[in-house]
Amino acid sequence: MDNRIAGYVDNSMKISPGEYIVTGTWIKSKLLSGHEYTINQYRNEMLISSWKIISVLNFTTNNGSIIGLKLSSESKEAFLEIGDIVVDKELNIEFFNVRMSQEYNGRSLVGQIENTNTNAVIYTSLSGLILAAVSESDGHSLQSNIKVRSQNGLFGVEVFGGNINVDIENPLEIRVDTNPNILLNELLNTLNPLRAFIVGVSKEYNSIDKGQKQHLSEPAVYLKTGSIRIMLSPNNEGQLSLFDTSPSLPYLLLYKVLATAETGDVHSVVQMMSSNLINARKHMNNLLSMVRPYYKKGTIEVSLPGYKKLTLNEGTFHTIKDAIKQISTREVEIAGKIYAIDTIRRWFKIIDIETDIDWKIIYSKQYEEQFDLSSIENTTVSVSASTYTTPDAKKGIAEYININHK
């Protein structure tokens, strides 16, 4: 892979429409001058766009030398943001769900999987901790426990499933059972918050107006005989315009939050929800309501092909309950330059120059006239916003209150 590049975007700067300079954490590589290279861009484990490498830049900073790429896209609306994965189009990439066996500070970790020719990029995605396995060959067969060697040392990593699409062939299964019977209201008190979580996350993440009917967010369901087994998958009704995330995402997020809660990891549950969703408390209360009818006197199991089966219990319930207690709203003042904006779904991205937190700011329809790209581009602004994101997060999401131009 000497003549190929892959890595995690640590910073992004727009030069002109369709042209960006990005710095990042890269696999060891050497690009040959005079050769044309094309890289694919992934966000939330989904292919977003392709870019051509115009030049390789070397920046000197207080922390040493960093490598940047000047990139160009045929689409003038395309943009890159912190957390995107970029991979040479000639390389193969697969995504795996992982846990770190050593302390992990939330920043990207790039290295090589020991005893293989496969490079690894570990990063925090919307649906949890992800390993992107990159190599010149198809089909990465990763054992449950691997080691990744990076410039920061050797890290133990637990691989617990490939990142798959949830669809009619690979549905999310919810099994509920009590002995000797299930009361109808208990069943409904599980299914209603389950649906509310999936629909709510899908609509929020894609900025769908509350009054707008969107079939894509409504799960399809079919039943199997025996104990009550509910098979859930997204509707197959096409995608939203400018859709940048898989319809699987709410289902994977549901599974991963419950899997994390099953281990008793309150902090990770808080980070996963509050750093990505404006209505984190509401979505977590839906999870709590889903688990509540069964956590003492019955069985509720969640399974997904390629993952271990979860049996939700009293510990799961109390982990979610404790996580909700730790989530509180606060107002933040963010100063920096807006580096990406989506006026269709009404959000913009800004990096706080003081804390280095990468913020996604959601604004409502009443403010849309304030966000004309020409009036805010390359302008330092101060943004007031409301958020559940914890102060120690590396990425956050907040609801817009006010903006001042400096």
Side-chain angles (χ1 to χ4, degrees):
M1 282 189 279
D2 286 346
N3 298 332
R4 305 296 172 195
I5 195 164
Y8 175 96
V9 175
D10 289 321
N11 213 332
S12 171
M13 181 174 67
K14 184 179 180 181
I15 303 300
S16 64
E19 282 196 339
Y20 276 77
I21 290 178
V22 298
T23 57
T25 311
W26 315 108
I27 64 173
K28 291 182 179 180
S29 56
K30 180 181 179 181
L31 301 187
L32 301 177
S33 61
H35 285 242
E36 186 177 272
Y37 295 94
T38 299
I39 57 175
N40 290 331
Q41 170 196 5
Y42 296 84
R43 184 179 304 141
N44 292 321
E45 295 70 73
M46 184 176 181
L47 179 62
I48 298 296
S49 188
S50 294
W51 300 75
K52 291 191 181 300
I53 299 178
I54 304 302
S55 59
V56 179
L57 309 170
N58 199 342
F59 297 98
T60 301
T61 70
N62 293 333
N63 297 322
S65 178
I66 58 174
I67 301 298
L69 303 175
K70 185 176 181 181
L71 304 173
S72 175
S73 171
E74 292 182 359
S75 171
K76 302 305 179 186
E77 288 75 37
F79 65 91
L80 293 121
E81 64 180 51
I82 293 174
D84 286 350
I85 302 298
V86 292
V87 177
D88 190 292
K89 73 170 185 178
E90 300 298 328
L91 297 178
N92 295 293
I93 182 170
E94 291 182 59
F95 297 98
F96 297 87
N97 304 282
V98 297
R99 296 188 184 95
M100 302 297 290
S101 60
Q102 293 179 236
E103 185 179 354
Y104 178 71
N105 64 9
R107 290 294 191 184
S108 58
L109 174 68
V110 176
Q112 188 168 40
I113 301 174
E114 280 214 324
N115 303 317
T116 72
N117 293 320
T118 302
N119 285 285
V121 182
I122 298 174
Y123 61 99
T124 302
S125 176
L126 176 65
S127 56
L129 202 60
I130 301 294
L131 182 151
V134 180
S135 74
E136 294 176 326
S137 58
D138 288 323
H140 303 97
S141 178
L142 301 184
Q143 302 299 317
S144 58
N145 291 290
I146 62 173
K147 291 187 176 180
V148 174
R149 184 173 296 281
S150 76
Q151 62 180 5
N152 298 318
L154 190 64
F155 290 84
V157 181
E158 178 190 356
V159 181
F160 65 96
N163 199 281
I164 64 170
N165 285 325
V166 180
D167 53 30
I168 197 68
E169 300 295 328
N170 298 291
L172 178 74
E173 179 179 339
I174 310 292
R175 174 179 173 265
V176 292
D177 197 8
T178 60
N179 190 13
N181 54 27
I182 299 175
L183 297 179
L184 180 59
N185 73 311
E186 291 177 332
L187 179 62
L188 294 177
N189 287 339
T190 293
L191 297 186
N192 285 333
L194 169 64
R195 174 193 175 273
F197 180 92
I198 292 171
V199 172
V201 169
S202 178
K203 287 190 171 184
E204 177 180 329
Y205 195 70
N206 294 289
S207 301
I208 300 172
D209 291 334
K210 292 181 180 178
Q212 181 180 350
K213 191 173 183 180
Q214 178 49 243
H215 292 293
L216 184 66
S217 61
E218 188 69 50
V221 60
Y222 64 95
L223 307 178
K224 283 193 172 182
T225 57
S227 298
I228 295 180
R229 298 168 64 190
I230 303 129
M231 319 299 284
L232 291 165
S233 61
N235 257 325
N236 184 24
E237 297 211 15
Q239 292 188 334
L240 296 171
S241 59
L242 300 179
F243 200 61
D244 71 349
T245 187
S246 166
S248 298
L249 191 143
Y251 302 83
L252 292 170
L253 181 61
L254 173 69
Y255 176 90
K256 291 177 185 179
V257 171
L258 292 175
T260 304
E262 189 184 45
T263 68
D265 190 345
V266 174
H267 179 72
S268 292
V269 171
V270 171
Q271 288 283 46
M272 196 182 302
M273 296 295 290
S274 68
S275 297
N276 292 289
L277 298 164
I278 289 289
N279 295 309
R281 181 182 289 276
K282 180 182 78 174
H283 298 316
M284 290 176 67
N285 272 306
N286 281 329
L287 291 181
L288 199 67
S289 298
M290 171 188 163
V291 176
R292 182 181 282 112
Y294 295 91
Y295 83 96
K296 280 187 176 179
K297 62 176 183 177
T299 298
I300 178 167
E301 293 179 344
V302 180
S303 56
L304 199 58
Y307 298 80
K308 73 171 187 176
K309 181 181 292 184
L310 305 178
T311 301
L312 310 187
N313 53 34
E314 190 168 357
T316 312
F317 178 85
H318 287 296
T319 299
I320 298 172
K321 192 172 183 179
D322 290 343
I324 293 173
K325 290 178 182 177
Q326 290 191 16
I327 291 183
S328 60
T329 185
R330 62 191 176 97
E331 287 192 12
V332 289
E333 293 289 333
I334 305 160
K337 291 183 179 180
I338 295 174
Y339 72 87
I341 187 167
D342 186 332
T343 55
I344 303 297
R345 288 173 294 185
R346 295 190 293 275
W347 56 255
F348 60 88
K349 299 287 187 73
I350 182 172
I351 299 175
D352 192 332
I353 57 178
E354 292 188 5
T355 64
D356 202 33
I357 296 176
D358 183 27
W359 288 98
K360 180 178 183 179
I361 309 297
I362 309 295
Y363 60 92
S364 61
K365 193 171 184 178
Q366 70 185 93
Y367 299 116
E368 61 186 358
E369 292 185 1
Q370 297 182 18
F371 295 98
D372 175 70
L373 184 59
S374 62
S375 65
I376 59 176
E377 193 172 21
N378 296 321
T379 302
T380 299
V381 297
S382 177
V383 179
S384 301
S386 173
T387 185
Y388 284 117
T389 303
T390 56
D392 61 337
K394 306 303 180 185
K395 297 177 70 173
I397 189 167
E399 195 165 15
Y400 172 81
I401 297 176
N402 193 23
I403 189 169
N404 292 307
H405 296 260
K406 293 193 172 183

